Amino acid sequence: DGGITQSPKYLFRKEGQNVTLSCEQNLNHDAMYWYRQDPGQGLRLIYYSQIVNDFQKGDIAEGYSVSREKKESFPLTVTSAQKNPTAFYLCASSIAGGPDSGELFFGEGSRLTVL
Amino acid sequence: SQQGEEDPQALSIQEGENATMNCSYKTSINNLQWYRQNSGRGLVHLILIRSNEREKHSGRLRVTLDTSKKSSSLLITASRAADTASYFCATAPNTGRRALTFGSGTRLQVQP
């Protein structure tokens, strides 16, 4: 089945540790995105990538890093510099980005808790 | 920044009633989309309306767009308990960032 797979679903981290969230898609989409969602809130854009080997910062990129070495993969690293990393992280993809963006396809999310 | 702000934040209705959610945004857009999220899950796309469209239907969903007021509404007719979820609007800007900006969402509870 085509779709987006995020892993792990739940992750616990000690303060000061870096963690990497995986996002893989087999939809052959060019664009991929990372959003953060806090309880009862909307989604805030962390990073996005329109094409392999290129990515742009979103509204809340500080304390996060990404890579896009393969079309189907867009991992997100939450670094120790992120002051309040406990949140629900959502990865999404679309056929292409830009003003004429079509629908986003979302993964099931990764819930990160800092102990 | 939150481009879209939804109203109301929460809505509780009985099965069979209609549910209306509103979304306001700030900048010029290419299109506006509505998504649904069940608790603890990813978002699912519902409907997309382009800036040159005023109304669109999909099953029990009706979306309107007023670009002069920078607002949109989502109407769910004959609601069902299974419609219980959070609903978000998202805007695709005409220029600048090539990614959707999401609103704060409306939590809909449909009582059986």
Side-chain angles (χ1 to χ4, degrees), chain B residues 7-81:
Chain B
D7 168 54
Q9 290 188 336
L11 180 61
S12 182
I13 59 174
Q14 298 292 323
E15 251 186 341
E17 294 180 338
N18 295 343
T20 299
M21 289 158 261
N22 303 298
C23 168
S24 61
Y25 58 92
K26 297 174 184 174
T27 62
S28 179
I29 62 170
N30 178 279
N31 67 71
L32 185 144
Q33 304 178 30
W34 284 90
Y35 288 80
R36 167 194 168 123
Q37 183 183 33
N38 287 354
S39 181
R41 306 291 299 273
L43 278 71
V44 175
H45 181 264
L46 295 175
I47 196 166
L48 180 154
I49 186 165
R50 301 193 183 283
S51 59
N52 61 354
E53 297 176 310
R54 291 297 167 257
E55 188 171 311
K56 203 161 183 180
H57 297 254
S58 177
R60 293 185 296 114
L61 304 180
R62 172 179 169 252
V63 169
T64 62
L65 178 65
D66 187 336
T67 53
S68 66
K69 294 181 180 179
K70 291 187 169 57
S71 67
S72 174
S73 67
L74 171 67
L75 169 66
I76 303 174
T77 60
S79 62
R80 306 165 181 168

Side-chain angles (χ1 to χ4, degrees), chain A residues 3-24:
Chain A
I4 298 183
T5 302
Q6 288 187 241
S7 63
K9 190 169 179 63
Y10 298 97
L11 185 61
F12 297 89
R13 184 192 101 174
K14 292 181 180 179
E15 282 193 27
Q17 287 182 335
N18 293 355
V19 294
T20 297
L21 308 181
S22 170
C23 179
E24 303 277 332

Side-chain angles (χ1 to χ4, degrees), chain A residues 43-64:
Chain A
L43 279 64
R44 291 184 290 167
L45 182 67
I46 305 173
Y47 270 98
Y48 64 104
S49 169
Q50 302 294 300
I51 198 168
V52 173
N53 292 324
D54 188 40
F55 48 83
Q56 286 77 40
K57 293 181 179 179
D59 295 316
I60 56 166
E62 185 175 351
Y64 300 97

Side-chain angles (χ1 to χ4, degrees), chain A:
Chain A
D1 284 2
I4 298 183
T5 302
Q6 288 187 241
S7 63
K9 190 169 179 63
Y10 298 97
L11 185 61
F12 297 89
R13 184 192 101 174
K14 292 181 180 179
E15 282 193 27
Q17 287 182 335
N18 293 355
V19 294
T20 297
L21 308 181
S22 170
C23 179
E24 303 277 332
Q25 55 99 357
N26 60 4
L27 300 167
N28 199 33
H29 285 174
D30 283 323
M32 297 187 73
Y33 312 82
W34 275 105
Y35 288 90
R36 168 180 171 143
Q37 186 177 34
D38 292 286
Q41 303 293 315
L43 279 64
R44 291 184 290 167
L45 182 67
I46 305 173
Y47 270 98
Y48 64 104
S49 169
Q50 302 294 300
I51 198 168
V52 173
N53 292 324
D54 188 40
F55 48 83
Q56 286 77 40
K57 293 181 179 179
D59 295 316
I60 56 166
E62 185 175 351
Y64 300 97
S65 66
V66 293
S67 62
R68 187 84 187 277
E69 297 176 0
K70 299 186 296 182
K71 186 176 185 178
E72 55 272 18
S73 178
F74 192 39
L76 173 74
T77 295
V78 185
T79 75
S80 57
Q82 169 48 235
K83 296 289 185 276
N84 184 20
T86 294
F88 189 51
Y89 291 88
L90 287 157
C91 179
S93 71
S94 63
I95 293 174
D100 201 24
S101 296
E103 65 178 288
L104 297 188
F105 292 78
F106 281 85
E108 287 297 304
S110 292
R111 189 169 298 280
L112 172 63
T113 302
V114 173
L115 303 173

